[in-house]
Amino acid sequence: MAKKPLSKKEVERIVQLRKHGHSLPEIKNITGHGKATIYKYIYNVKILQKFKMRWDNLRRSSVLRMIESQERARAEMQGSIGKLNTRDKVLIISCLYWAEGNKKDFILTNTDPVLIKCFVEYLSEIGVKRTDLRVTIRVYEDINIQEACKFWAGVVGIKANEIRNLNILQGKKKGKLQYGMCRVRVAKGSYFLKLLAAVKDIIGENV
């Protein structure tokens, strides 16, 4: 059943609260309406000048709370995880490949540089050498090719001219994918792929 539209009075109240420097969560708590509904009426509403200080302080405190929460979470996990050993790294690359890897050839493609860096660095734990890697870059037509190659070469730990291939895809994605995608293939990697598959099976057996 479709939701009953807000009355003119309810909309005016939402807009007035926004003008007075109230955040979306605050307006939700005050009015009882959903965030999506409220957002439709406040997304282009400007805060009145005399309430700017309240709004700025609210945003600043919100950012500080977010940073403090992130730091607290990192400290808590750092204490729990500690230093990664060989076992941890093998489990990590196995799970990464399990989720993101090609199921036939030893290939992993992703847009996340941290994911690619971890995968490449930890492959040495199962015997893969840096010289075994074959790197391909996939970029959209609006992305700077030289910058993308330099960026991914730095992530993988090779020279830009060692990138084996460059695929240019139609479309514009620079706002979402600044450097495109990195594809890492392990040459003659069938046995290494079997090692990761074995780790995956062992994980499954322990569930």
Side-chain angles (χ1 to χ4, degrees), residues 16 29 72 92 98 108 110 142 160 172 205:
Q16 195 68 14
N29 291 335
R72 186 169 65 253
I92 288 171
W98 191 356
L108 183 140
N110 210 271
D142 63 331
K172 297 183 178 181
E205 290 167 2

Side-chain angles (χ1 to χ4, degrees), residues 94-110:
S94 178
C95 290
L96 288 179
Y97 199 84
W98 191 356
E100 301 291 336
N102 185 287
K103 305 313 175 188
K104 293 183 178 179
D105 299 317
F106 201 159
I107 299 171
L108 183 140
T109 305
N110 210 271

Side-chain angles (χ1 to χ4, degrees), residues 59-86:
R59 291 184 65 184
R60 192 177 297 112
S61 63
S62 178
V63 171
L64 288 174
R65 284 197 301 272
M66 181 184 69
I67 293 173
E68 289 173 356
S69 178
Q70 290 173 338
E71 291 177 344
R72 186 169 65 253
R74 180 182 174 85
E76 182 178 339
M77 287 297 97
Q78 186 69 52
S80 298
I81 295 172
K83 188 175 180 180
L84 299 179
N85 57 30
T86 296

Side-chain angles (χ1 to χ4, degrees), residues 133-180:
L133 303 180
R134 305 291 182 265
V135 179
T136 298
I137 306 301
R138 293 179 176 178
V139 298
Y140 286 88
E141 55 192 355
D142 63 331
I143 294 174
N144 186 294
I145 294 173
Q146 287 73 28
E147 288 183 5
C149 288
K150 182 179 179 181
F151 174 80
W152 287 115
V155 170
V156 178
I158 61 175
K159 296 178 180 178
N161 60 11
E162 292 179 302
I163 292 174
R164 293 301 181 101
N165 202 359
L166 176 67
N167 298 324
I168 301 177
L169 309 175
Q170 290 185 341
K172 297 183 178 181
K173 293 288 184 73
K174 187 174 181 180
K176 295 181 179 180
L177 302 176
Q178 185 177 0
Y179 300 109

